[in-house]
Amino acid sequence: MNKSRNYFHLHLVSDSTGETLMTVARAATVQYEDVQEIEHVYPLVRTQKQLDRVISEIESAPGIVLYTLVDQGISDRLERTCRDLGVPFVNILTPVFSVFQSYLNVTQTHRIGGQHELDAEYFKRIEAMNYTMLHDDGQVWEDLEGADIVLVGISRTSKTPTCIYLANRGIKAANVPLVPDIPLPAHLLNLKKPLVVGLVASAERIQQVRRNRVLSLQAENYNDTYVDRKEIAREINMARRLCSDNGWPLIDVTRRSIEETAAEIMALYRTYKAEIPGITI
């Protein structure tokens, strides 16, 4: 029997993009079962006039307020409003800044959105993202040698979202689907620079995800073997054998989040590049 969910309003106020707030908020809310947040996101709040709208929204739908605001005047006004309304509020970066300041003994610069500067790292991530999107799901196989990491796996092993996560870390990631009875590109087996990593999951998990995929697309003419457990098991064995034959590391993603899978891949890549001269991340 499904339990009823408790809903609450969650206001995320930022003078930058709000990405930091959303990441922290979602990491926190996922820890509470049967509770569902209603997110109100307010990015680029840098003037008192912009804060007026935020305060109006909080007054209309009171709830938890998380914020990252560098301007002291705007921050103070938001806090006063929250106190008057009796709603909880947290500047999520204050404890972090306190630790950094006490340990480093330096003054905070109060730069808005400093983590999003258009520096070399930013452009590296953009280049990686462009490469990854161009090489998704076996597209443009000819220049896989330009990748940092190539993921191989059967359908529904989270290859694409894992590649996108890696690209956001500045890693050029391509992925190649493993399809029964369809030969792989010959040069995949002879790559020199990229680390090739295989992804697998349990047959039960893949079958469940594929069934949900078919239902969501309302597909009527799909191939029955796509969700057949025996066929899925055959595909998994094929993937395991391919990785074993070529010495590729294999990761079981059955009970892993995208972040956990990507973290293990990045650890493998750090070891890999340390063993091969000339490779830099």
Side-chain angles (χ1 to χ4, degrees):
M1 183 175 64
N2 291 329
K3 297 180 181 179
S4 60
R5 280 186 174 273
N6 296 313
Y7 291 88
F8 71 99
H9 293 279
L10 179 60
H11 299 272
L12 308 177
V13 190
S14 173
D15 49 22
S16 187
T17 63
E19 292 178 21
T20 301
L21 278 172
M22 288 188 284
T23 299
V24 171
R26 288 166 188 173
T29 55
V30 76
Q31 301 298 322
Y32 300 92
E33 293 183 358
D34 307 319
V35 174
Q36 181 65 55
E37 75 280 8
I38 301 172
E39 276 190 2
H40 305 262
V41 183
Y42 315 95
L44 303 174
V45 178
R46 299 179 182 179
T47 68
Q48 293 289 348
K49 186 175 182 180
Q50 290 169 331
L51 185 61
D52 288 343
R53 182 178 72 87
V54 175
I55 289 175
S56 176
E57 292 281 341
I58 295 172
E59 289 174 338
S60 299
I64 297 173
V65 177
L66 304 182
Y67 69 95
T68 52
L69 297 170
V70 169
D71 185 282
Q72 196 62 50
I74 294 175
S75 177
D76 288 346
R77 183 183 168 206
L78 178 61
E79 290 183 8
R80 285 196 304 271
T81 299
C82 290
R83 287 193 189 97
D84 292 343
L85 293 172
V87 299
F89 60 91
V90 180
N91 182 340
I92 65 166
L93 290 180
T94 294
V96 181
F97 289 150
S98 297
V99 170
F100 271 60
Q101 192 162 336
S102 63
Y103 185 80
L104 299 175
N105 195 28
V106 293
T107 303
Q108 184 184 340
T109 62
H110 298 284
R111 279 189 304 160
I112 295 174
Q115 73 272 35
H116 300 296
E117 275 190 4
L118 300 183
D119 56 9
E121 284 298 314
Y122 173 84
F123 289 107
K124 181 180 179 182
R125 290 196 301 272
I126 294 299
E127 182 183 0
M129 184 61 75
N130 288 335
Y131 181 92
T132 295
M133 298 307 293
L134 185 63
H135 295 78
D136 180 41
D137 203 29
Q139 301 179 82
V140 195
W141 286 355
E142 294 79 10
D143 66 338
L144 287 177
E145 194 65 54
D148 297 314
I149 293 170
V150 177
L151 301 184
V152 298
I154 65 175
S155 172
R156 304 295 110 191
T157 50
S158 302
K159 297 186 298 299
T160 293
T162 304
C163 281
I164 292 174
Y165 187 96
L166 291 169
N168 272 314
R169 299 299 184 272
I171 296 174
K172 293 181 180 178
N175 72 80
V176 177
L178 302 180
V179 183
D181 305 319
I182 295 181
L184 291 169
H187 64 280
L188 174 65
L189 306 178
N190 300 302
L191 293 175
K192 304 298 182 186
K193 174 179 171 286
L195 169 67
V196 182
V197 179
L199 302 182
V200 294
S202 69
E204 293 81 5
R205 174 60 178 163
I206 292 175
Q207 184 182 48
Q208 178 187 30
V209 175
R210 289 185 180 182
R211 280 177 174 167
N212 291 339
R213 174 72 170 170
V214 170
L215 289 173
S216 67
L217 295 176
Q218 297 182 335
E220 297 179 356
N221 298 318
Y222 69 92
N223 189 336
D224 287 342
T225 60
Y226 184 67
V227 296
D228 181 79
R229 194 185 181 290
K230 289 184 179 179
E231 179 59 27
I232 292 171
R234 186 170 81 90
E235 292 180 40
I236 293 171
N237 290 334
M238 171 196 68
R240 290 184 178 278
R241 187 166 54 251
L242 178 69
C243 290
S244 177
D245 290 347
N246 290 279
W248 297 336
L250 187 67
I251 299 175
D252 189 326
V253 302
T254 304
R255 290 181 173 82
R256 292 177 187 265
S257 65
I258 300 300
E259 293 83 358
E260 290 170 329
T261 301
E264 180 161 348
I265 292 170
M266 291 172 72
L268 288 169
Y269 185 58
R270 282 192 291 270
T271 302
Y272 176 76
K273 72 187 183 74
E275 295 173 350
I276 301 181
I279 293 183
T280 56
I281 195 167

